Amino acid sequence: MVLTGARGLEGLCRPPSTLVGPGLACRPLPRPFQAATKQPHNPIRTPARTDGASLASWVARVNVATVAPTTQQDPAVAAAALSQSQPPVSTAYPFPEIEQKWQAHWAAHKTFRTPDKVDTSKPKYYVLDMFPYPSGSGLHVGHPEGYTATDIMARYKRMRGFNVLHPMGWDAFGLPAEQYAIQTGTHPRVTTELNINRFRQQLQMLGFSYDWDRELATTDPEYFKWTQWIFLQLFNRGLAYQA
């Protein structure tokens, strides 16, 4: 029997006149428990609580008296108690051993890259995630929550024989980057690239099956020159205007 505090005493205590703690008083132990404590091979003695002792100190002494093996214990009982006190062998998934090994393998062999020339007889499937804004704080829990679902779909479709395109990119333009540059005197391109590197590392540690050869950032001149070109085409045809 291990008592962990006032709540652990609820089964043995009730509120009569003589209190041993906040609203608790001990009643006699049930007969089966009394009988068990009298067995010669495993005597259990619950220390008496003196008037000056606190409830917490009394509970601590009860735990020691009822759990710690004594010299009169049966050897088999003592061995069983010792084995139970040893930390159990962990059967949890060994993340450091497996994840690092296979993530390195995927990166080296570009396992999830969509080839430039594909079998056109196979159906196509495009899995596009919302590009995160690469802030200095890194990913938040909402990112992998959504990315896990799309990654499941991408992997499922690959195994079903689809040509899957599953890229990742960075929605990197934004006022926070400009404000941070003003406050620190650092060019926003420098801090944005550092943040992108951090986000990429975190996503790769999560094991998502992105085609990193098709990574893009909206701050890359090779990207935004085309968004500017599209805007000019719309503007020249009167389709982009201020209402």
Side-chain angles (χ1 to χ4, degrees), residues 66-209:
T66 56
V67 176
T70 66
T71 56
Q72 300 178 8
Q73 273 188 321
D74 183 273
V77 175
L82 181 61
S83 65
Q84 293 177 359
S85 67
Q86 299 298 324
V89 178
S90 175
T91 57
Y93 179 79
F95 285 95
E97 300 174 17
I98 295 179
E99 293 297 318
Q100 294 179 11
K101 170 186 175 181
W102 287 106
Q103 288 169 16
H105 176 88
W106 296 337
H109 295 82
K110 298 185 177 182
T111 303
F112 305 113
R113 184 182 185 278
T114 302
D116 296 329
K117 294 183 179 180
V118 298
D119 184 353
T120 56
S121 66
K122 295 181 178 180
K124 295 180 290 184
Y125 202 79
Y126 184 28
V127 184
L128 180 63
D129 279 322
M130 175 196 70
F131 291 166
Y133 175 77
S135 65
S137 58
L139 295 173
H140 59 71
V141 69
H143 288 120
E145 180 183 15
Y147 297 160
T148 298
T150 52
D151 196 66
I152 290 171
M153 290 300 302
R155 291 173 180 268
Y156 173 75
K157 291 296 184 179
R158 286 192 194 99
M159 290 187 288
R160 297 284 293 178
F162 283 70
N163 291 319
V164 175
L165 177 61
H166 189 30
M168 175 48 69
W170 318 105
D171 185 11
F173 273 124
L175 289 177
E178 298 175 10
Q179 186 63 31
Y180 185 79
I182 294 172
Q183 292 175 351
T184 63
T186 308
H187 195 285
R189 183 175 187 86
V190 175
T191 56
T192 298
E193 288 182 354
L194 290 174
N195 293 341
I196 286 175
N197 292 336
R198 175 179 176 82
F199 269 61
R200 184 190 304 109
Q201 180 187 29
Q202 291 177 323
L203 287 174
Q204 289 174 343
M205 289 175 64
L206 289 169
F208 293 131
S209 60

